[in-house]
Amino acid sequence: MTELASYNFAYLDEQTKRMIRRAILKAIAIPGYQVPFASREMPMPYGWGTGGVQVTAAIIGPEDVLKVIDQGADDTTNAVSIRAFFQKVADVAVTTHTADATIIQTRHRIPERKLSEGQVLVYQVPIPEPLRFLEPRETETRKMHALEEYGLMHVKLYEDIARHGRISTTYAYPVKVAGRYVMDPSPTPKFDNPKMHMSEALQLFGAGREKRIYAVPPHTDVVSLDFEDHPFEIQRFEQSCALCAAHGVYLDEVVLDDKGGRMFVCSDTDNCEDRREHGHSGEMLAPSKEAAE
Amino acid sequence: MNDTPLFKVSGVSKFYGQRIGCKDVSFDLWPGEVLAIVGESGSGKTTLLNCLSTRLMPTAGSVEYRMRDGQFRDLYHMSEAERRFLMRTDWGFVHQNPADGLRMTVSAGANVGERLMAIGDRHYGNIRATATDWLSRVEISTDRIDDQPRAFSGGMRQRLQIARNLVTGPRLVFMDEPTGGLDVSVQARLLDLVRGLVNDLGLSAIVVTHDLAVARLLSHRMMVMKDGYVIEQGLTDRVLDDPREPYTQLLVSSILQV
């Protein structure tokens, strides 16, 4: 009996992985520069992280431990399906604990816990070009990157202040990497921008539909653009997490009913669970079993 | 006026395959001088303007520009980065259709401020103050600063485009039919404004137009083009009052009289 057709390790064939790795190496060598690559069709729709999945597939090995998050959560559809995908096609260990993971694929958040050397953060990017909404021509934006003409990026921030009195861009906030390329940090909240600066972990960005890969190597300057009289600021939350009472973390607002009831909870579920295990409890946390008995 | 020219053009030709765009054009332009290029449509005016402003590479010829340090540089041998820097600081380009020269989806203030931000101005308050000042100089009410140009009339858009170009204090401005598509009263106002600005700022300008009245009002000197060749050039009043070439005579006598 002949062997049934099966997938190569981590779904992609070796030549494809090799092509993607070359793009990744080039991206690391030129921090913030968008490297074109021959993005493949993946068994999931565009917008579900086809770029991130290809980057992860190209770098993952049998010993890696994978964590996948979607808006900070390990248990939402996108995260669960991508995690299951790699369990199936690469048979790798998976985890939800940030500290245990070697590769973290993320959609729009950086874990609250500080990443360490040896970890790789893979971002799923929908639109890699920070200048796109102001300059629709790709030929022109490439030229602007090449000649370092980034005045237009400040036009966007100017518009924000003119309309709202402050820089109202809250996500996909443009950054300058290593003093050269302006980069879109994918739609992460600007709350996470400071975490990219001088990060110990390698950060890789994959845009599947737009066929671009870019990277921020460890220990690289990542500076958020701003004006002298309107400096960059991250979001601040008055509340603390309703479940783990954490302060200074990124919170999601959850609407509870149609009478104005709402709660603020950690966007990073792993961090929240970890804090609760260590005895922190917020005002809306259900009493534990022992206490109820 | 200065003794050395600002802009030296010699033998500029542009061919589109076998067809002539413009052929063997040479002239000098001095600081503070306004030169009009007139001719019927298809005569090569815009091709010539695009070649001079380096938006188009000519087939032959050279254009030298006196930089702020007094050195002449050959525009076609500069690097693209230098050329683009020159275009957004020391030069201006006013398009016939304001939508080509403006960003229609950002506010008037940002349109004026873009060049400032491009050369490194990073203080919002200063940028806005400069933009406000320029809007009033081109007679746009300053409470329109946060409106997008698409909410502006044709004449206002054209004035906004002029403000956007002049904000960095350029020494040379190219204009392609600046009054095209505007009605006569708006045209008159715009011409008045441009004439005032050119005088106040000591600008040099190269204006392409098919409207001889625009040439008469704005320019000191004019060139008449036909089929890609410059057939006559001289002081504006001389050319218009005493045209020598048959074609120029035809052009001057074709003006409709009310």
Side-chain angles (χ1 to χ4, degrees), chain A residues 97-111:
Chain A
H97 296 298
T98 305
D100 299 341
T102 54
I103 299 174
I104 304 172
Q105 182 170 335
T106 174
R107 175 168 174 264
H108 313 347
R109 271 314 306 280
I110 299 174

Side-chain angles (χ1 to χ4, degrees), chain A residues 26-46:
Chain A
K26 184 169 179 183
I28 294 170
I30 318 172
Y33 172 70
Q34 299 167 44
V35 183
F37 78 112
S39 175
R40 300 288 194 251
E41 294 277 333
M42 296 303 281
M44 60 185 72
Y46 287 135

Side-chain angles (χ1 to χ4, degrees), chain A residues 133-137 140 143-144 147-159 161-163 226-230, chain B residues 80-81 84-85 88 103 105-111 113-114 117-118 121-128 131 145-146 148:
Chain A
F133 290 104
L134 290 153
E135 179 51 69
R137 289 169 294 179
E140 184 68 13
K143 199 166 274 178
M144 290 161 85
L147 300 177
E148 221 178 333
E149 288 179 7
Y150 290 130
L152 200 53
M153 216 60 254
H154 276 85
V155 170
K156 182 174 190 286
L157 302 179
Y158 172 98
E159 278 294 281
I161 304 173
R163 279 190 209 164
D226 59 2
F227 283 105
E228 286 158 15
D229 47 349
H230 286 269
Chain B
E80 187 170 17
R84 284 172 68 111
F85 183 75
R88 62 171 191 263
R103 288 193 191 279
T105 51
V106 303
S107 68
N111 263 299
E114 181 178 343
M117 292 182 251
D121 202 330
R122 292 289 176 264
H123 192 284
Y124 174 80
N126 295 351
I127 293 167
R128 199 169 167 83
I145 188 168
D146 291 332
Q148 292 186 0

Side-chain angles (χ1 to χ4, degrees), chain A residues 115-134:
Chain A
L115 299 177
S116 55
E117 199 180 318
Q119 288 186 305
V120 182
L121 191 58
V122 178
Y123 296 76
Q124 305 169 196
V125 180
I127 295 166
E129 179 50 71
L131 302 160
R132 177 61 67 238
F133 290 104
L134 290 153

Side-chain angles (χ1 to χ4, degrees), chain B residues 5 46 73 79 82 92 97 111 121-122 136 140 154 163 181 189-190 202 208 223-224 243:
Chain B
T46 301
R73 295 286 307 275
S79 72
E82 284 178 299
N97 178 5
N111 263 299
D121 202 330
R122 292 289 176 264
S136 58
I140 294 175
R189 213 167 134 206
L190 187 78
V208 159
M223 294 194 326
V224 182

Side-chain angles (χ1 to χ4, degrees), chain A residues 159-176:
Chain A
E159 278 294 281
D160 268 5
I161 304 173
R163 279 190 209 164
H164 306 289
R166 65 195 161 78
I167 298 177
S168 59
T169 303
T170 51
Y171 64 95
Y173 192 102
V175 293
K176 193 166 217 178

Side-chain angles (χ1 to χ4, degrees), chain B residues 172-187:
Chain B
L172 176 59
V173 179
F174 300 95
M175 296 188 199
D176 188 5
E177 306 271 9
T179 57
L182 301 177
D183 61 54
V184 281
S185 60
V186 176
Q187 263 190 33

Side-chain angles (χ1 to χ4, degrees), chain A residues 9 55-69 74 83 86 90-106 111 113-123 199-204 218 270:
Chain A
F9 176 78
V55 170
T56 304
I59 61 172
I60 202 164
E63 278 81 44
D64 273 312
V65 182
L66 180 69
K67 170 183 163 82
V68 185
I69 52 174
D74 292 283
R83 197 159 56 223
F86 280 110
D91 194 27
V92 290
V94 294
T95 181
T96 59
H97 296 298
T98 305
D100 299 341
T102 54
I103 299 174
I104 304 172
Q105 182 170 335
T106 174
R113 189 191 176 93
K114 193 168 179 291
L115 299 177
S116 55
E117 199 180 318
Q119 288 186 305
V120 182
L121 191 58
V122 178
Y123 296 76
S199 165
E200 286 180 25
L202 169 64
Q203 302 172 76
L204 302 175
D270 172 56

